[in-house]
Every structure is written in structure tokens, then in C-alpha cells.
Amino acid sequence: MAGGGKGSGRPAKKKSPTKGTGGNVRRGLEGRGATPPAHMRHWHKDKARAERIEREEKTGRSASPRTSARPRRSDDAPEHIGGRNPVVEALRAGVPASTLYVALRIDNDDRVKEAVRIAADRGIAMLEVGREKLDRLTEGGIHQGIALQIPAYDYAHPDDLVRIAQDAAEVPLIVALDGVTDPRNLGAIARSATAFGAHGLVVPSRRSAGVTGGAWKTSAGTLATLTVARAANLTATLREYREAGLFVIGLDGEGKVDIGEANLLDGPLVVVVGSEGKGLSRLVRESCDLVVRIPMHAAAESLNAGVAAGIALYEVARKRRS
């Protein structure tokens, strides 16, 4: 092979020195000052990002869809109950429903057949959908291939609960929830309230559980027969109940009187259930005529709100029967 370099076996020739700029670039920059830092360059990404955020803050738009908060569910949005037993129980109880969703190629057991039959008898629309659709509707909950869509709950006014008792010629019994944020607890309390003759529930409009799909599911359909009212201000509502002649009893582990020893249970009554752990809020506690507790062993610091409400309402019903 002729010549040197790679593959010739002989060392390659060294390149000759190249001619430099001779200081032309350096002289060209004279009088232009130092190079500005990165954040001052209009093309720098940090400055562009800062300017974009500033513009979006002025217009009220989110800085980025990735960092924007998840939109709050509208009060008018429908709810969905998932699971074969909950759906059948809701349909049996006459829960207002608009659509029954059934998975494609579902195993038609007796519960599915009954749900389809009741929905057909009531004129409820039925749709066959994929399981991915059911996953979205139930927000990842266990649906077993079937879900029921129910419209947004139409809350009553707190005054309506007293009127319901008066129309039935009965002594009013109302349950109010203070700081109960788990819809399953609301559903369990609704079940106990129905069992022991309460005329309705009152829930605050803020920082409280509402009548959602989870509440419907836990209530086993009893929310279809029990009225739930929403109060803009629970403290003010309790004060209005007292002015109307109802006694307000708060249920709290720090109460000084055992519920079995309270002497107001057979009169017109509002039972206020606090959250498990925090109990009653200060303002609600001050709005009560009496704060009672459920006696129990010290090993158990507190009871679930649904369990506590059930025990208290049983005691009220027992006193009223005697």
C-alpha cells in the first residue's frame, strides 16, 4: 500500500500549524462590555419561563397544566355506585337513578339479572360499556362489572326537617354532623338514623361529607327515604333549632355526662356527632345545651363516628319507648 497513515504501517505525518485569527475576534468585541449573565439574555429559558408565568398570573390562567390543581367536582355532577350488592340494594330501595352501566361479557349472576330487571321496570337507561369506562366512573373503586349513575343530591333546608316531624305528628329527632368528612360515615349514620326514627340529617356545606356515591353505597339505600339538609353555617343552624324549642346534645368523648343519664332524650332533639379524633369543634360545642359521652373502656380512645351515632340513637329510641 503506497503512502503512510492509517493502514500503511508507518506513522502518519503531523499536521502543519493552522493560522489563527490574529486577535480579530477579540478586537471585534472591544467596547461591547462583559457577556451578560444567563438570566438577562432574552433567549434564556429561565427568563422566558418567568415571563410566561408573569403573563399567565396577570391573565388568571394556570402556569402549567401539570402544576394546576385538580378541578373540584361540581355539586351538580352525578354520582356513581359500583358493586353488585350495593347496586341491587340501591335499586331495591328506589334510589333515584338515571343509568345502569353493565360491563361487556359480564358473568350474569342473580344480582346482575335482578339489577337489569329492576332498571328495565323503572325505565332506567342501560348501557354496555368496557371495564375501563367503569373504572373511570367509579374512580378506581371496586365495581364488579356494574355501576349505577345517580343524579346530584337535592339537599333540603334545615327547617324542612322540623316540618317533616310536625307533619308526622312526632317529636323531632334530627342528627347533625360536625367535621364528619368520610362519606362512608355519613352513609352509616344515615342507616342508623333511619333505623331509630330520625327525621333527617344536617351536614355543613363546607368541610363535610356529602351525599356521594360512597354514602349511597354505605347507607344500603336508606338515603332514599331519609332527608338530608345542608347548612351554610352549622352553628347558626343549631342556634335556630334551639330558638324553635329543640334541645341540642353534642356527642363527644370529653363530655361530662353519660348519654344514658341525660334527661333530654325524650324531647325534641338534635344529636350532634363530631369527627372521630377531633370531636366537636369549639363553636359547635358552645352551641349545645349538653355534651354527653358514651362510656367505654379506656383501651378504646374513641369510636368511629358511624358507630357512635348508632349507639347514641339507640339510647334515644330506648328512652322514648320507656
Side-chain angles (χ1 to χ4, degrees):
M1 181 180 291
K6 187 176 181 181
S8 66
R10 297 194 299 271
K13 293 181 179 180
K14 293 183 179 180
K15 294 182 178 180
S16 301
T18 58
K19 189 175 181 179
T21 62
N24 290 334
V25 173
R26 185 169 59 252
R27 284 194 298 269
L29 293 175
E30 288 179 359
R32 299 194 179 186
T35 301
H39 68 274
M40 294 180 65
R41 301 178 211 163
H42 67 83
W43 61 86
H44 192 265
K45 63 179 181 179
D46 287 344
K47 183 177 181 182
R49 178 176 177 273
E51 290 175 348
R52 185 180 71 251
I53 292 174
E54 184 179 358
R55 288 195 305 269
E56 290 167 344
E57 286 178 348
K58 289 180 179 179
T59 59
R61 292 182 298 174
S62 173
S64 170
R66 294 183 181 180
T67 58
S68 60
R70 184 178 179 180
R72 182 180 180 271
R73 179 194 290 272
S74 170
D75 290 339
D76 297 330
E79 293 285 344
H80 296 88
I81 302 173
R84 301 188 181 189
N85 283 336
V87 166
V88 169
E89 289 174 354
L91 289 170
R92 287 174 181 169
V95 171
S98 55
T99 308
L100 177 67
Y101 294 92
V102 181
L104 296 167
R105 296 180 295 278
I106 191 174
D107 177 21
N108 284 325
D109 64 6
D110 292 340
R111 294 167 297 177
V112 175
K113 293 177 181 177
E114 183 178 359
V116 171
R117 179 181 57 78
I118 296 175
D121 292 342
R122 291 178 50 188
I124 298 171
M126 288 181 282
L127 294 175
E128 280 192 310
V129 296
R131 290 187 177 270
E132 297 80 7
K133 172 78 171 179
L134 289 170
D135 291 339
R136 291 195 299 272
L137 292 176
T138 59
E139 298 181 349
I142 299 174
H143 52 71
Q144 299 174 304
I146 190 169
L148 186 67
Q149 178 176 288
I150 55 178
Y153 189 81
D154 185 14
Y155 292 94
H157 189 275
D159 293 345
D160 295 337
L161 306 185
V162 179
R163 194 173 301 112
I164 290 172
Q166 293 173 344
D167 292 343
E170 296 174 349
V171 179
L173 174 58
I174 298 169
V175 182
L177 309 187
D178 177 31
V180 176
T181 57
D182 190 339
R184 293 171 296 182
N185 275 334
L186 188 153
I189 294 170
R191 198 168 184 173
S192 296
T194 303
F196 297 116
H199 297 100
L201 302 183
V202 177
V203 297
S205 57
R206 298 177 59 194
R207 294 187 292 274
S208 175
V211 183
T212 64
W216 278 108
K217 183 175 181 178
T218 311
S219 76
T222 55
L223 279 169
T225 59
L226 184 73
T227 303
V228 180
R230 177 172 274 176
N233 186 311
L234 182 59
T235 304
T237 298
L238 295 178
R239 183 171 61 249
E240 291 170 0
Y241 278 147
R242 291 178 65 184
E243 292 172 355
L246 280 72
F247 299 111
V248 178
I249 289 184
L251 189 61
D252 194 284
E254 298 181 0
K256 303 301 182 183
V257 179
D258 290 350
I259 187 169
E261 299 173 359
N263 57 5
L264 303 174
L265 303 186
D266 55 351
L269 190 65
V270 180
V271 177
V272 188
V273 181
S275 63
E276 174 187 358
K278 291 185 178 180
L280 299 174
S281 62
R282 179 182 60 83
L283 292 177
V284 168
R285 177 188 291 270
E286 293 173 355
S287 301
C288 295
D289 294 297
L290 182 67
V291 177
V292 299
R293 65 171 180 265
I294 296 174
M296 56 186 177
H297 290 291
E301 294 183 359
S302 63
L303 291 173
N304 173 276
V307 174
I311 294 172
L313 291 171
Y314 166 76
E315 189 65 27
V316 172
R318 187 183 68 82
K319 282 289 184 69
R320 293 188 171 197
R321 286 194 305 268
S322 61

